[in-house]
Amino acid sequence: MYETWEELEKSIENCNKCKLCKTRQNIVFGTGNKNAKLMLIGEGPGADEDRLGEPFVGRAGKLMDLAFEAIGLKREEVYIANIVKCRPPANRNPEDDEAMACMNYLRNQVILVKPEIIVLLGSVALKNILGKEYGITASRGKWIEKKGIKYMPTWHPAALLRDETKKIEFIKDLKLVLEELNKQ
Ligand code: URA
Ligand code: SF4
């Protein structure tokens, strides 16, 4: 574990701990407020993120921004990262060996940010962070507290592109998060 962002960011440069290093264009480390009370964790970079080196800048990201706007949450206030930092080919789900190889970077990011709340965006984030026994359909919209951090699982923004009711539920879940943040 690194105690500074500089050391952590340096340690990931040219990472080749898993096979995703072979096909990536850019490592998508994470972005946002490094002292955020709220952190969001996605799955992994897509094509746009791979090209630009930033998380959630493609279609799903733009939809997430709209949802943030709708409830008055500013993207600059939160910290956003992914389970894997390199794009899985053809946007397939990250495989277990890849998620495991990459997990220490994410753990270190969580330790440095020290968020009060973590929003888990979709099934891949939920299962890799809280355990394979969790399913997103049953878990979304409900708080799960572990080791002093409050987790809120919700839909992955890409799922909202296909389903209007999920959009409503996503906003509902984010509102719960905002209420909790405002209590503190
Ligand atoms: N989907 C993700 O899970 N993460 C991103 O950064 C972009 C799309
Ligand atoms: Fe390294 Fe993570 Fe990229 Fe794999 S996904 S090469 S572990 S940074």
Side-chain angles (χ1 to χ4, degrees), residues 41-43 83 119-130:
I41 300 178
E43 181 177 318
I83 295 291
V119 170
L120 299 170
L121 298 166
S123 165
V124 169
L126 173 65
K127 287 180 185 288
N128 279 288
I129 301 287
L130 293 182

Side-chain angles (χ1 to χ4, degrees), residues 28 41-46 49 54-58 60-61 80-84 121 156-158:
V28 179
I41 300 178
E43 181 177 318
E49 291 78 19
E54 288 261 320
F56 287 103
V57 289
I80 307 177
N82 282 307
I83 295 291
V84 290
L121 298 166
H156 188 283

Side-chain angles (χ1 to χ4, degrees), residues 20-35:
L20 296 180
C21 72
K22 294 186 192 140
T23 44
R24 72 168 178 240
Q25 285 189 50
N26 284 294
I27 295 176
V28 179
F29 176 69
T31 186
N33 177 358
K34 289 170 172 162
N35 300 305

